[in-house]
Amino acid sequence: MRTPLIAGNWKMNCTLAEARELALAVVEAAKGLNDREVLLAPPFTALSATAKELAGESVILAGQNVAWEEKGAFTGEISPAMLKDVGAMAAIIGHSERRQIFGESEAMINARLRAALQAGLMGIFCIGESLEIREKGQADVEAWLKKQMEEGLRGVSAAAARRLVIAYEPIWAIGTGKTASQEQAQQAHAYLRLLLANMYDKSLAEEARIVYGGSVNPSNIDELMSQPDIDGALVGGAALDKEQFARIIQFQAAN
Ligand code: 13P
């Protein structure tokens, strides 16, 4: 059985005071929900303040990115050891904003993912197609996802892949209010699970969590979570609103 994971990606938002307040509200909302995991990814500046609010609680702390080197002259980067030192157990890697706005290549993302998993962090590996590819049809979407999976997971051993979470985030659905339909998301997730089975093995594919991201909100979370291959959500905008995020983590799947 896969434990559902609801993750809040705060992106470049939250002062320390805002981060503390939001983290506290999430801790309250997550109390007693033992059948799911909740994760928060604040900006680097708010990791420490958020960690203090999460101390002794089950909510997981994550970085929004991570470097592939341990330490040294890498201005602007944060290493896996630094994330662990501040209390983070996970890192988001390959977010489409990193790829599109900051030009991160498949090779960089692969190096980040390998380093994170190697260090024992949960690696939340983001992939997803553009609107242009989506409009070309399902075969093109699948070819794109296959390429991203193969390049991103190059050299990742089966043992390391057990700490992997795949986040399917179609670029056209991020921050646009356009969610993939539950059928579109389910179809992509089922395909990603098939790829994992081919790249690793069936049991790893069955155990791996594949979460959906892109305009997740209180009114679509229940139906998304009712799909057999959707194991959670990576939430942007709605994760910044305590009431909305509380409702999202309290999702009720129909099955
Ligand atoms: P939105 O939920 O704002 O669409 O963002 C999704 C996302 O990019 C999460 O990483």
Side-chain angles (χ1 to χ4, degrees):
M1 263 312 281
R2 302 184 290 269
T3 306
L5 173 70
I6 302 291
N9 175 8
W10 294 354
K11 306 192 179 183
M12 197 175 75
N13 293 288
C14 291
T15 60
L16 293 184
E18 287 164 348
R20 282 190 203 103
E21 193 188 330
L22 196 48
L24 197 63
V26 173
V27 164
E28 284 307 311
K31 278 215 161 61
L33 296 175
N34 303 321
D35 60 345
R36 59 200 68 186
E37 284 178 2
V38 178
L39 175 150
L40 294 178
F44 291 132
T45 50
L47 278 171
S48 183
T50 306
K52 286 198 185 89
E53 299 302 332
L54 303 188
E57 305 290 343
S58 59
V59 178
I60 300 165
L61 186 68
Q64 293 179 16
N65 204 353
V66 69
W68 56 84
E69 296 285 351
E70 232 165 88
K71 61 176 170 178
F74 302 98
T75 302
E77 292 287 327
I78 303 282
S79 71
M82 291 160 102
L83 279 186
K84 285 166 56 176
D85 192 35
V86 77
M89 288 170 54
I92 296 173
I93 294 154
H95 193 279
S96 65
E97 287 149 17
R98 296 300 320 166
R99 297 175 189 260
Q100 292 199 306
I101 306 171
F102 300 101
E104 289 201 11
S105 65
E106 300 287 354
M108 267 184 207
I109 289 160
N110 172 249
R112 292 187 190 281
L113 189 57
R114 286 207 324 245
L117 297 171
Q118 179 72 29
L121 293 169
M122 174 200 294
I124 305 174
F125 171 46
C126 304
I127 55 173
E129 80 286 354
S130 64
L131 185 59
E132 198 190 339
I133 295 172
R134 170 58 63 177
E135 284 175 344
K136 284 188 187 157
Q138 189 61 21
D140 285 71
V141 171
E142 292 185 359
W144 177 260
L145 295 177
K146 184 163 189 270
K147 178 177 165 288
Q148 285 194 314
M149 287 282 280
E150 285 174 353
E151 291 182 7
L153 294 174
R154 185 164 291 147
V156 173
S157 68
R162 300 222 168 254
R163 289 187 287 282
L164 179 71
V165 171
I166 310 273
Y168 171 61
E169 298 207 308
I171 298 168
W172 49 273
I174 296 177
T176 57
K178 265 196 227 169
T179 323
S181 68
Q182 44 184 318
E183 292 80 16
Q184 283 172 323
Q186 165 58 26
Q187 195 176 20
H189 284 225
Y191 177 67
L192 292 170
R193 203 174 302 286
L194 179 73
L195 286 179
L196 281 175
N198 293 341
M199 293 167 75
Y200 295 97
D201 59 61
K202 206 155 183 268
S203 85
L204 188 142
E206 279 306 312
E207 284 164 30
R209 288 183 291 187
I210 307 177
V211 304
Y212 170 79
S215 298
V216 173
N217 62 46
S219 50
N220 58 29
I221 186 67
D222 293 346
E223 61 184 36
L224 286 165
M225 292 306 295
S226 302
Q227 296 297 320
D229 288 294
I230 301 183
D231 307 314
L234 182 54
V235 188
L240 296 170
D241 180 298
K242 16 182 204 203
E243 279 84 30
Q244 287 193 40
F245 195 62
R247 173 62 186 83
I248 291 170
I249 67 180
Q250 289 159 0
F251 74 83
Q252 292 197 325
N255 42 23

